[in-house]
Amino acid sequence: MEEVYSEIQITRQNASEVGLTEQEYDLIIEKIGRVPSYTELGVFGVLWSEHCSYKNSIKQLKTLPRSGGRLLVEAGAENAGLVAIDDNWAISFKIESHNHPSAVEPYQGAATGVGGILRDIFTMGARPIAALNSLRFGELDIPRNKYLVKGVVKGIGDYGNSFGVPTVAGEVYFDECYNDNPLVNAMAAGIVHKDKVISATAKGPGNPVFILGSRTGRDGIHGASLLASREFDESTDEMRPTVQVGDPFAEKVLLEALLEMHQTGVLVGVQDMGAAGISSSTSEMSARGGVGMIIDLDKVPLREENMTAYEIMLSESQERMLMVIEKGKEEIIHKIAKKWDVPLTQIGEVRDDGYLKIYRHGKLVVDLPAEVLVLGGGAPQNDREFREPEYLKITKNEEINLNEITDSPLDIFKKLLSSPTIASKKWIFEQYDSQVQTNTVSIKGDAAVLRLRQVPGKGIALTTDCNSRYVYLDPYEGGKAAVCEAARNTVCVGAKPVAITNCLNFGNPYDPEVYFQFREAVRGMKDACLALDTPVTGGNVSFHNESQNFAVYPTPVIGMLGIIDDLSLTMTPEFKNDGDLIYLIGNNRIEIGGSEILKLYFGKITGNPPLVNLDEEVNLQNAVLELIQNKLINAAHDCSEGGLAIAIAEMALSSVNLGASINKIEVPILNWLFGESQSRIVVTIPQDNKLRFEETLQKNNVEYFNIGMVQADKLEFKSILSIDVAQIKNIYFTALENKLV
């Protein structure tokens, strides 16, 4: 038996240095029957890290609905989710985090986050058609946060624009808890013929294994095992070398070369070399196919001299893929790679025994069963201790009287409009190309709408959503609310919600209070997904989002896909006609817990967040889709941050000098204007449609309230609040830019 070579004698201290616990080190020895080599230890460190193995989350993730509906592959089975659009075409989509790299090096961290999620899409054989993001930053009165915003936004824009994919939607929040640890979640979607999907599975002993794409360097080593799997401390800046460096132009030709190779029919399996690089791609592809691989690291194209086996295996250099092709067809892909000037090198072949055998300088440095390394295989699956957070004893049922505010309703309204979380993100979005590929139908609604040229007349809606304040105050209700708002936003543009992807951003899972938040948020997501019939296609868990000063609010970001069968029935939020009636449909509850007005005037995130009644939510969404399909409404907009007054203002802001006269006011007035109750949508209708409109809502058991009428130039709430639309626009569209520059 060939002995495995190790550069050094391994101790428990070495295990700790790669992020493994003593218990995990003992488990490794138990599973492989010996002490691992130095390179093997590094491979275990990265693949059993939180970022790669989901060792503290997988048991909870398995409780989510992960199949059924329009899903073509079960969650986690491939590089990205796959959802049927019709009998022939499917949408591949996924969201992932790049939080820790973006905190250390915001430009490259965000850029490579975009690059990584795009590769997940086109390794499925899908051509990317849209990018989205969900961003969280700290307060803008801190200079470092401004630096992070500018760096992240430029990284996203430069990569997406250069690659040639439209960035069509997203969300940006600002809260103190993200001061040291911003959240940068990137989402992408692509379209693929159902018969042309590429699997991330290795098959066929003797089939050659290739690296396609860029050379391997030392960037990104320990990115997954250490940077992404721990919280920040005083040594964080020393982790800068673990951040990958991206090249969108290299990725663009990589895309074209791969898709052309795919058309030849010779590809057996392909996987992106993302987190953990060669270590993850070889082991995961092998484990899926029940095979092994023999790899010669001397053949890996390097861009730095004297790289060790350890460094090559753990490098996370960008724009690389691992491919298995049919033996004897090598010349076909070599010609295509040469045409696109993309490096292509055979580094090994598939074995039939399930083992990874990795060589460097003729020495065997890794000899491990692939199954022992991967998620769902040998990697630990932990049940963590959990308990309800102490802070909930204070925040639950804490009552704050908004009448203590001395400002007038108009002053409150202006202050809310100019708060960074609510104010226009125009300064950010204008740095993204939203129209490249010319498939973008609308980006001004509650979700982005794209046409599908392959399916004439049909389109999709995409959105990202999560109000993390609600999750902080009640993880279960907040988890429900995140899914429901994402679905509601797709409904508001006329799309039927069909599936979600998720990016679950939390603090340290070894903290029982954090793990309580995680469990309860997942439980809320599960119940909402079951009620709305939107199964989970996959996604990402990002733990350890905290620093010495802050733990982030629990932030389970939802990426939602909706389908529009007839693009001519797409709905937008802006007021259309002077004289149209304005209705609030859904509930008329007055809930202010977790609201923007509480943060601005009391400096608190407190109280009970808005509750979500799932039966009420389903009825509302079904009713709105029916109203749109029957052409009974002219505009629709979800009520969210800032409450009803801000929702109505936003409908005026996206119109051409149309405002509203609101003649129905409830008391307490400030609660009614600025409370953030869920499951509510503001719509406008032609007066002639009033009877049929109300009959539709009655049939669907949905409450409705005729609250006013569209008018020219002014926004008025009885005698309480009156302001010119032009003044609103000046406040709303300049506030964020004024804070950033």
Side-chain angles (χ1 to χ4, degrees):
M1 187 179 206
E2 191 174 6
E3 187 174 344
V4 182
Y5 171 76
S6 182
E7 294 92 330
I8 63 172
Q9 185 174 352
I10 299 303
T11 67
R12 291 180 182 276
Q13 177 62 32
N14 301 126
S16 174
E17 289 167 357
V18 299
L20 293 165
T21 65
E22 289 192 7
Q23 293 79 12
E24 288 166 348
Y25 178 69
D26 291 340
L27 181 59
I28 289 169
I29 294 175
E30 176 186 327
K31 285 185 175 292
I32 68 174
R34 57 179 172 82
V35 173
S37 72
Y38 179 65
T39 303
E40 287 175 334
L41 187 69
V43 171
F44 272 111
V46 70
L47 290 178
W48 282 19
S49 69
E50 187 67 58
H51 187 74
C52 291
S53 76
Y54 294 168
K55 58 192 174 189
N56 293 313
S57 59
I58 187 61
K59 286 190 174 183
Q60 299 305 314
L61 298 180
K62 287 178 178 178
T63 67
L64 294 167
R66 294 154 56 91
S67 59
R70 293 173 176 257
L71 267 60
L72 297 177
V73 297
E74 186 170 333
E78 296 289 353
N79 283 310
L82 200 64
V83 177
I85 295 298
D86 65 3
D87 292 338
N88 297 310
W89 293 91
I91 295 294
S92 175
F93 76 119
K94 188 180 183 183
I95 189 169
E96 284 197 340
S97 64
H98 233 222
N99 303 334
H100 291 67
S102 299
V104 174
E105 212 303 301
Y107 179 84
Q108 289 295 350
T112 51
V114 174
I117 200 67
L118 289 172
R119 287 196 303 279
D120 281 337
I121 299 305
F122 67 80
T123 50
M124 296 283 291
R127 181 170 290 277
I129 59 173
L132 302 86
N133 52 73
S134 176
L135 310 176
R136 317 282 158 142
F137 300 102
E139 304 286 5
L140 288 177
D141 57 353
I142 297 176
R144 175 171 169 76
N145 290 332
K146 294 183 182 182
Y147 158 76
L148 291 173
V149 172
K150 292 175 181 179
V152 165
V153 169
K154 185 169 175 55
I156 291 170
D158 283 359
Y159 203 101
N161 296 351
S162 299
F163 180 84
V165 64
T167 301
V168 296
E171 56 177 356
V172 189
Y173 284 76
F174 299 88
D175 271 304
E176 182 185 34
C177 68
Y178 304 110
N179 274 348
D180 298 324
N181 196 139
L183 302 185
V184 178
N185 295 178
M187 176 176 164
I191 188 164
V192 60
H193 195 282
K194 288 162 65 174
D195 295 335
K196 297 290 185 180
V197 176
I198 305 174
S199 176
T201 303
K203 295 179 182 177
N207 279 337
V209 178
F210 285 84
I211 286 182
L212 177 70
S214 298
R215 291 176 175 270
T216 297
R218 289 188 171 94
D219 52 318
I221 294 173
H222 285 307
S225 58
L226 295 183
L227 177 59
S229 300
R230 70 169 205 182
E231 52 269 15
F232 292 124
D233 55 30
E234 67 279 353
S235 63
T236 294
D237 283 343
E238 299 171 10
M239 301 298 287
R240 191 176 300 272
T242 66
V243 178
Q244 310 96 325
V245 178
D247 182 345
F249 301 105
E251 180 142 321
K252 174 62 174 174
V253 292
L254 179 63
L255 159 72
E256 300 300 343
L258 177 69
L259 294 186
E260 186 170 335
M261 290 174 182
H262 183 39
Q263 294 304 311
T264 68
V266 305
L267 300 184
V268 174
V270 180
Q271 179 156 324
D272 167 43
M273 287 190 194
I278 294 175
S279 296
S280 61
S281 54
T282 53
S283 57
E284 290 170 5
M285 289 184 73
S286 296
R288 288 191 189 101
V291 296
M293 289 184 186
I294 184 168
I295 301 294
D296 185 354
L297 296 181
D298 295 350
K299 295 180 178 179
V300 174
L302 304 177
R303 64 169 180 258
E304 300 184 47
E305 295 181 355
N306 302 318
M307 288 185 67
T308 65
Y310 182 101
E311 291 172 325
I312 298 169
M313 289 296 289
L314 269 64
S315 169
E316 294 180 10
S317 293
Q318 295 290 282
E319 291 83 42
R320 301 178 301 159
M321 293 183 175
L322 195 75
M323 299 194 321
V324 176
I325 73 161
E326 293 180 15
K327 188 173 183 178
K329 305 292 179 67
E330 292 89 342
E331 186 58 30
I332 295 173
I333 63 168
H334 275 294
K335 286 182 178 178
I336 296 171
K338 184 176 180 180
K339 169 187 171 182
W340 289 100
D341 194 24
V342 177
L344 175 70
T345 306
Q346 183 177 348
I347 63 168
E349 65 179 42
V350 177
R351 295 167 51 90
D352 63 1
D353 63 357
Y355 269 72
L356 290 182
K357 289 186 176 288
I358 313 291
Y359 289 83
R360 177 64 165 157
H361 301 317
K363 297 177 180 177
L364 181 65
V365 293
V366 173
D367 186 11
L368 298 171
E371 185 68 22
V372 79
L373 295 167
V374 300
L375 170 67
Q381 297 184 27
N382 298 325
D383 288 308
R384 300 250 67 89
E385 180 186 353
F386 62 94
R387 66 170 178 268
E388 184 171 287
E390 286 294 317
Y391 69 80
L392 290 178
K393 296 176 181 177
I394 300 171
T395 59
K396 276 186 175 180
N397 302 308
E398 182 176 9
E399 295 184 3
I400 294 181
N401 185 356
L402 296 187
N403 289 330
E404 295 176 14
I405 299 174
T406 57
D407 284 356
S408 68
L410 179 59
D411 288 337
I412 297 169
F413 176 75
K414 289 178 181 179
K415 189 169 183 178
L416 283 169
L417 266 184
S418 63
S419 69
T421 292
I422 289 176
S424 170
K425 309 307 183 296
K426 179 181 177 183
W427 181 88
I428 293 174
F429 298 150
E430 284 188 341
Q431 299 187 48
Y432 308 150
D433 188 339
S434 63
Q435 301 301 320
V436 64
Q437 299 186 16
T438 67
N439 293 319
T440 307
V441 174
S442 172
I443 60 170
K444 62 183 179 181
D446 290 358
V449 177
L450 292 98
R451 68 175 57 83
L452 302 176
R453 296 184 186 278
Q454 298 84 347
V455 191
K458 205 161 191 169
I460 59 171
L462 297 165
T463 189
T464 58
D465 284 286
C466 177
N467 188 316
S468 58
R469 298 172 187 173
Y470 300 165
V471 191
Y472 171 75
L473 293 174
D474 188 322
Y476 174 72
E477 288 295 333
K480 279 198 302 183
V483 174
C484 288
E485 181 172 0
R488 198 180 316 127
N489 283 342
T490 62
V491 164
C492 282
V493 300
K496 171 69 176 174
V498 294
I500 75 164
T501 178
N502 59 68
C503 196
L504 309 181
N505 307 272
F506 288 78
N508 184 349
Y510 297 92
D511 180 338
E513 294 189 351
V514 169
Y515 207 70
F516 174 91
Q517 294 172 331
F518 178 73
R519 285 174 54 99
E520 286 296 285
V522 170
R523 185 169 69 91
M525 290 165 52
K526 176 197 73 175
D527 287 353
C529 286
L530 290 172
L532 297 170
D533 193 22
T534 54
V536 179
T537 63
N540 176 228
V541 177
S542 176
F543 280 134
H544 298 285
N545 289 291
E546 55 187 77
S547 67
Q548 293 174 300
N549 301 311
F550 300 99
V552 302
Y553 293 149
T555 311
V557 174
I558 305 299
M560 180 70 72
L561 171 69
I563 296 176
I564 303 174
D565 289 322
D566 183 352
L567 272 177
S568 69
L569 298 177
T570 299
M571 186 55 54
T572 54
E574 74 274 11
F575 292 142
K576 305 295 193 306
N577 305 305
D578 193 343
D580 278 357
L581 301 178
I582 301 173
Y583 277 77
L584 171 65
I585 61 176
N587 68 80
N588 196 27
R589 291 191 290 271
I590 299 175
E591 298 165 293
I592 63 166
S595 62
E596 185 73 10
I597 190 173
L598 287 190
K599 177 195 172 187
L600 288 180
Y601 281 92
F602 295 90
K604 290 185 175 183
I605 305 299
T606 192
N608 289 319
L611 299 179
V612 176
N613 180 306
L614 292 173
D615 291 335
E616 182 180 273
E617 185 72 46
V618 170
N619 290 343
L620 173 67
Q621 294 188 20
N622 289 339
V624 171
L625 285 175
E626 185 175 342
L627 291 169
I628 293 172
Q629 289 158 6
N630 290 329
K631 300 182 179 181
L632 293 175
I633 63 177
N634 283 336
H637 185 37
D638 172 42
C639 281
S640 56
E641 289 80 19
L644 178 61
I646 296 299
I648 292 171
E650 289 170 342
M651 297 176 81
L653 286 160
S654 54
S655 69
V656 181
N657 295 325
L658 287 174
S661 173
I662 305 301
N663 51 42
K664 175 183 173 58
I665 302 289
E666 300 280 349
V667 292
I669 292 171
L670 295 183
N671 300 56
W672 189 81
L673 288 173
F674 305 116
E676 297 180 7
S677 295
Q678 294 287 288
S679 307
R680 301 188 301 166
I681 295 173
V682 179
V683 301
T684 67
I685 68 167
Q687 296 191 32
D688 291 346
N689 290 353
K690 187 174 188 294
L691 181 60
R692 290 179 60 202
F693 169 81
E694 293 186 352
E695 286 175 347
T696 300
L697 294 173
Q698 291 166 7
K699 179 183 70 174
N700 284 280
N701 194 30
V702 175
E703 289 186 275
Y704 58 90
F705 309 89
N706 185 347
I707 60 174
M709 182 181 297
V710 177
Q711 67 176 9
D713 300 328
K714 274 191 174 294
L715 182 62
E716 298 176 305
F717 289 80
K718 274 192 170 179
S719 59
I720 296 167
L721 190 162
S722 178
I723 187 171
D724 290 340
V725 172
Q727 188 179 357
I728 297 174
K729 290 185 176 182
N730 183 58
I731 295 170
Y732 180 76
F733 288 113
T734 63
L736 183 61
E737 184 173 358
N738 289 340
K739 290 179 182 294
L740 284 170
V741 297

